[in-house]
Amino acid sequence: MNHSVPSPEAHGYLKRLNLEQRAAVESIDGPLLILAGAGTGKTRVLTTRFAHLLLTGKARPHQILAVTFTNKAAREMKDRIETLVGHTVDGLWLGTFHAICVRMLRRHAALVGLSNQFTILDTDDQIRLIKQVMEPTGIDVKRWSPNAMLGVIQRWKDRALTPTSITPAEDTDFAQGKARDIYLAYQERLRSLDACDFGDLILHVYEILRLHPEVLKSYHHLFRYIMVDEYQDTNTTQYLWLRLLSQRQDEDANIACVGDDDQSIYSWRGAEIENILRFERDFPKAKIIRLEQNYRSTQEILSAASGLIAHNHDRLGKTLRPGTDDRRGEKVTILAAPDSDGEAHLITARIEALHREGHDYAQMAILVRASFQTRAFEDRMLAKNIPYRIIGGIRFYERAEIRDALAYARLLARPGDDLAFERIANTPRRGIGATAMQKIHAAARAQHVPLMAAALAEDGPKLLTRKGQEALAALSDIFAQGREKLGGEGHVVALEAVLEEAGYLQMWRDDKSIEAPGKLDNIKELFRAMAEFPSLEAFLEHIALVMDADAVQGDDKVNVMTLHGAKGLEFDTVFLPGWEEGIFPSQRSLEEGGERSLEEERRLAYVGLTRARVRAIICHAARRRIYANWQDSIPSRFVGEIPEEWRNDINPYNGFRVPETPFPRPASHWPILARRDRGKTSMSPPMEEFEAGHRVFHQKYGYGTIMVVNGETLSVAFEKAGDKAVHASYVDLISS
């Protein structure tokens, strides 16, 4: 249907843009990179540019390819475009990478051995399928989990690697070196089912465009303009797909990419910051426009964030400034806490004070580096009756791994707790499936005894397979030994021993998924929480009250989330706890990625600061509890990288002195793989307590036993990593 639309001048939409935004909208022909800083109106620019192409007659709706990362962003763009042009716009190629590629793949499915009615498998179906593929190989699925195998395959697909294109250099020793063969069998099985997974949607289309020039040429003829949102988050396959579509023969590419290299924080899910950094090399005639007027934050917050991110080398460079001259406010507050408990007290006290002054809870956010950090704040806010919500996740005590660990704790304290037994009887797998559990239930009802007692009774072998009977008997012995430890070594050591001997902790160590290390961190945080209570019963009573607590009704709640989950959001007040070496930047990230990971951690800090509109409050603690011991911490290098003129250092505790050395040291003097200062305090074990035979925990190597003590060097036999020589300050003493 034809519509009569007013000219850009008559419509007036260009008048609503600042000079930088208008330049980006009116730069129509040729490659364009729009570097859009936080809060600079990138969505307005993207949608206005799309509408401008339509209103000036440069293109019809179906001739513009616009790619986003979320369905929400796509819907928002479509709504805004239709508002600007004044009518419904049909035939758009506007959507997520996956949605666009599904549409393309339906057209050309036969070229990759599929019908145009192919099925897209969800995660559960993928797991079932990969299990079927792994079983004939003889791979131990307990050690090499199907979830982890899918993760390996997805990473290959993110890098545009098909089974036949994986070279020895790109291969992995996962699953005893059989991962590539499993990938090949998995793909063949998918084709036989006329199905694909989400990774295939883009990879199949990329392969079609690469191998079939006539198909690629048809899309070159169809799409006159291409626009891409969040370009810094593209993975290799998405990048290559876009390159093919944009590089027309004998023509300049009309591709406009919007992104912010300073907000590239998703390398762990395949994003490649190099894609945006090399834009000018990919498109030599490219024009770069920087959107630097921020309409969100005050001058103080923007200057602090700019000063911090300037320490990164891999960036194209820009400096944010307020969109209006009067956006002045408080300096970024740096709060020093004596310990992690004091940190939670300080932040919740500030939340209460702000609320008394009339500030809504909903306009406050606590942004943490790792999910285990939320526990202390959840406990404190529950105690103070402060309503809160967990965004992008679930409450600490409602996480699956925490519920599992609590079920073990309940059964440790109360052998007749049938609900706890049901939850952990087959976690990890012990050959006690649903059918066996039904038989155990029937026997327990007939004998009027708890489930575990019924399963271990004389007629237990009738209920379970031999494997299940032996596994359950061993589990019963583990709990018996754990109960002996309760009276002597305490409830923290007892539960840790039960989880270790029962194989639950090892289950997560063997899990190669991205989420597994975080789950182990959460369990460690549970141990820290337990240490604050005199007994296991006292702790379980506390948990029962926490789980039963009803949050205040309504939407006015403090927002709690990870820094990764906060991208794209904004709040009046942002609290940033845990800015200490080893937590932020994350020690695990530094050990795995070195300088590259350090720069991504710094970008994550920049994202956190720029979520704040009015005030940003950073907090660091001098000590944090690890199990029952305290460990010294030093402030994050990121604190010292914030220019002094834009920060306000506060130490609210009399007599408590924050270490002075970290702040003045230039970032270049920090060792890339530096771990936190583990200097021992009066509550930490002195050297004389380390003896041969003691069990220890190392953040990288896991659990082990001391074999030889030589001064401050320990020779440790680690359960997974083998024999290692480590400094005593790098390990925690688990038991003596």
Side-chain angles (χ1 to χ4, degrees):
M1 183 166 60
N2 294 323
H3 294 272
S4 177
V5 295
S7 67
E9 292 76 14
H11 205 286
Y13 60 85
L14 293 178
K15 296 178 181 178
R16 304 167 194 162
L17 308 175
N18 64 37
L19 293 178
E20 300 162 342
Q21 292 171 337
R22 180 162 181 166
V25 168
E26 294 185 305
S27 296
I28 296 299
D29 298 317
L32 172 67
L33 177 61
I34 304 170
L35 283 178
T40 57
K42 74 173 181 67
T43 304
R44 170 180 286 189
V45 169
L46 207 57
T47 53
T48 305
R49 192 175 189 275
F50 196 119
H52 185 67
L53 289 169
L54 299 179
L55 292 171
T56 56
K58 287 284 187 177
R60 296 179 179 178
H62 66 274
Q63 294 176 317
I64 305 171
L65 172 63
V67 191
T68 69
F69 268 84
T70 67
N71 289 312
K72 179 183 176 182
R75 287 193 300 269
E76 183 180 357
M77 277 189 64
K78 185 175 188 297
D79 290 344
R80 289 197 187 189
I81 290 166
E82 291 180 342
T83 298
L84 284 171
V85 301
H87 60 81
T88 300
V89 182
D90 298 319
L92 293 176
W93 283 81
L94 166 61
T96 64
F97 278 95
H98 290 106
I100 295 293
C101 284
V102 166
R103 191 171 168 183
M104 290 181 170
L105 190 55
R106 295 284 183 201
R107 290 182 167 190
H108 312 288
L111 296 177
V112 288
L114 299 172
S115 78
N116 60 7
Q117 299 297 315
F118 63 82
T119 301
I120 303 171
L121 299 189
D122 61 21
T123 303
D124 289 342
D125 288 336
Q126 291 174 45
I127 292 172
R128 280 196 292 271
L129 185 59
I130 202 73
K131 282 181 181 177
Q132 295 173 14
V133 170
M134 292 177 72
E135 283 173 0
T137 68
I139 294 294
D140 183 357
V141 294
K142 293 181 180 178
R143 183 177 182 186
W144 311 102
S145 74
N147 273 347
M149 185 67 244
L150 280 175
V152 171
I153 292 173
Q154 185 57 55
R155 285 190 287 276
W156 275 330
K157 290 183 179 182
D158 287 344
R159 293 162 53 204
L161 296 174
T162 62
T164 56
S165 64
I166 296 172
T167 66
E170 292 157 332
D171 206 346
T172 174
D173 59 0
F174 186 86
Q176 300 174 344
K178 298 179 180 179
R180 179 185 171 279
D181 293 337
I182 294 171
Y183 180 18
L184 179 61
Y186 173 69
Q187 292 302 108
E188 290 175 348
R189 183 75 175 122
L190 282 171
R191 282 192 174 86
S192 71
L193 294 171
D194 195 25
C196 62
D197 61 23
F198 278 93
D200 287 327
L201 295 177
I202 303 175
L203 182 55
H204 280 332
V205 175
Y206 165 66
E207 287 292 298
I208 289 169
L209 297 179
R210 184 177 70 86
L211 299 174
H212 300 275
E214 72 284 358
V215 176
L216 178 60
K217 185 176 180 180
S218 70
Y219 284 109
H220 283 167
H221 178 74
L222 176 62
F223 300 135
R224 298 188 60 185
Y225 295 93
I226 298 174
M227 292 195 290
V228 187
D229 192 15
E230 303 287 8
Y231 190 60
Q232 79 281 349
D233 292 336
T234 53
N235 61 37
T236 300
T237 308
Q238 292 163 343
Y239 163 80
L240 293 172
W241 178 75
L242 287 166
R243 283 287 307 274
L244 285 175
L245 288 172
S246 63
Q247 293 184 327
R248 302 184 185 192
Q249 195 172 15
D250 301 326
E251 290 185 52
D252 289 337
N254 289 331
I255 182 171
C257 295
V258 182
D260 184 0
D261 52 324
D262 291 334
Q263 296 190 73
S264 179
I265 58 174
Y266 295 123
S267 66
W268 49 274
R269 67 184 190 194
E272 294 282 354
I273 190 174
E274 288 79 8
N275 294 348
I276 192 170
L277 295 178
R278 66 182 174 217
F279 190 86
E280 287 182 284
R281 296 198 301 274
D282 289 339
F283 304 99
K285 297 181 181 180
K287 182 176 183 179
I288 295 182
I289 295 176
R290 289 171 168 80
L291 305 184
E292 297 177 309
Q293 281 190 265
N294 176 286
Y295 294 92
R296 176 188 301 156
S297 306
T298 62
Q299 177 68 66
E300 288 77 7
I301 292 170
L302 296 178
S303 297
S306 294
L308 171 66
I309 200 63
H311 288 80
N312 271 8
H313 299 294
D314 287 339
R315 62 190 298 258
L316 297 171
K318 62 185 173 304
T319 302
L320 297 181
R321 61 184 187 277
T324 56
D325 295 334
D326 59 349
R327 290 289 289 164
R328 300 303 299 265
E330 307 172 14
K331 292 182 178 181
V332 172
T333 299
I334 312 294
L335 278 180
D339 52 46
S340 46
D341 294 335
E343 177 185 67
H345 282 247
L346 278 175
I347 288 179
T348 51
R350 291 227 166 190
I351 289 172
E352 288 182 303
L354 286 167
H355 191 251
R356 285 195 299 270
E357 294 170 8
H359 299 277
D360 293 339
Y361 286 129
Q363 284 304 321
M364 305 180 210
I366 300 174
L367 309 183
V368 298
R369 174 61 183 88
S371 60
F372 74 83
Q373 291 175 258
T374 68
R375 196 273 309 169
F377 296 103
E378 292 189 59
D379 282 356
R380 187 65 183 164
M381 286 190 286
L382 283 167
K384 302 295 288 184
N385 201 31
I386 298 173
Y388 71 94
R389 65 167 66 89
I390 303 293
I391 296 180
I394 53 179
R395 293 172 180 242
F396 181 82
Y397 293 112
E398 294 173 354
R399 294 183 171 98
E401 66 275 15
I402 299 302
R403 284 185 176 271
D404 288 345
L406 288 174
Y408 274 97
R410 286 162 49 196
L411 206 57
L412 180 63
R414 308 158 190 159
D417 191 328
D418 285 349
L419 289 176
F421 173 76
E422 281 187 276
R423 184 174 183 97
I424 61 91
N426 206 39
T427 306
R429 294 185 184 279
R430 300 184 178 93
I432 306 173
T435 301
M437 190 60 71
Q438 289 174 0
K439 293 179 180 179
I440 294 172
H441 266 285
R445 285 194 299 269
Q447 301 170 31
H448 303 287
V449 296
L451 294 177
M452 182 175 276
L456 294 173
E458 291 183 5
D459 57 351
K462 299 178 183 178
L463 309 177
L464 301 171
T465 63
R466 181 177 178 181
K467 176 184 176 183
Q469 186 73 13
E470 290 175 351
L472 199 55
L475 183 63
S476 178
D477 290 341
I478 290 168
F479 275 109
Q481 295 166 13
R483 291 182 191 107
E484 291 179 6
K485 291 180 182 290
L486 278 176
E489 298 174 75
H491 55 292
V492 177
V493 173
L495 180 60
E496 189 272 340
V498 167
L499 291 175
E500 188 66 67
E501 297 302 323
Y504 187 77
L505 297 179
Q506 193 62 44
M507 178 185 77
W508 289 118
R509 291 193 203 104
D510 292 341
D511 192 321
K512 304 302 180 184
S513 67
I514 293 172
E515 296 82 9
K519 293 182 183 294
L520 284 168
D521 285 341
N522 289 338
I523 295 170
K524 288 172 64 178
E525 181 62 25
L526 179 69
F527 292 148
R528 293 172 202 154
M530 290 176 61
E532 299 173 8
F533 293 83
S535 68
L536 184 56
E537 283 291 353
F539 176 67
L540 290 174
E541 181 179 322
H542 165 74
I543 294 303
L545 295 173
V546 167
M547 300 291 277
D548 190 52
D550 290 327
V552 176
Q553 296 299 312
D555 293 326
D556 191 24
K557 301 175 183 177
V558 176
N559 304 279
V560 184
M561 71 195 83
T562 64
L563 285 158
H564 284 100
K567 189 171 180 290
L569 303 178
E570 56 185 73
F571 307 92
D572 286 346
T573 303
V574 168
F575 296 95
L576 299 160
W579 280 42
E580 298 137 32
E581 287 297 304
I583 292 182
F584 195 35
S586 159
Q587 183 62 31
R588 183 183 295 115
S589 294
L590 296 188
E591 290 178 345
E592 292 176 355
E595 181 73 37
R596 178 188 174 98
S597 290
L598 174 61
E599 295 215 345
E600 180 156 332
E601 291 285 295
R602 190 176 285 113
R603 291 194 293 270
L604 193 55
Y606 171 85
V607 167
L609 278 171
T610 54
R611 298 312 94 196
R613 284 192 288 255
V614 179
R615 60 188 67 81
I617 301 167
I618 294 169
C619 196
H620 60 85
R623 297 190 303 165
R624 284 197 180 270
R625 193 192 299 271
I626 301 295
Y627 293 100
N629 298 324
W630 287 94
Q631 161 181 306
D632 283 355
S633 299
I634 59 174
S636 168
R637 67 192 77 191
F638 299 154
V639 175
E641 291 171 0
I642 295 174
E644 291 186 10
E645 63 267 31
W646 302 114
R647 74 171 197 252
N648 181 24
D649 296 350
I650 297 177
N651 177 5
Y653 290 87
N654 294 328
F656 166 68
R657 185 167 174 270
V658 181
E660 295 179 355
T661 52
F663 289 0
R665 292 177 67 182
S668 60
H669 291 177
W670 285 90
I672 295 303
L673 300 182
R675 60 178 283 118
R676 286 174 288 171
D677 182 354
R678 299 286 299 275
K680 300 296 177 182
T681 70
S682 60
M683 297 185 67
S684 300
M687 273 306 303
E688 54 265 26
E689 292 190 16
F690 287 106
E691 297 179 2
H694 284 177
R695 295 187 69 232
V696 294
F697 177 79
H698 186 282
Q699 287 188 341
K700 181 176 181 180
Y701 301 130
Y703 291 89
T705 302
I706 298 175
M707 306 304 292
V708 178
V709 179
N710 183 12
E712 294 189 352
T713 300
L714 308 177
S715 177
V716 181
F718 289 102
E719 295 171 3
K720 298 295 292 182
D723 294 342
K724 301 285 183 182
V726 297
H727 193 275
S729 64
Y730 278 61
V731 299
D732 293 310
L733 186 62
I734 302 303
S735 62
S736 57

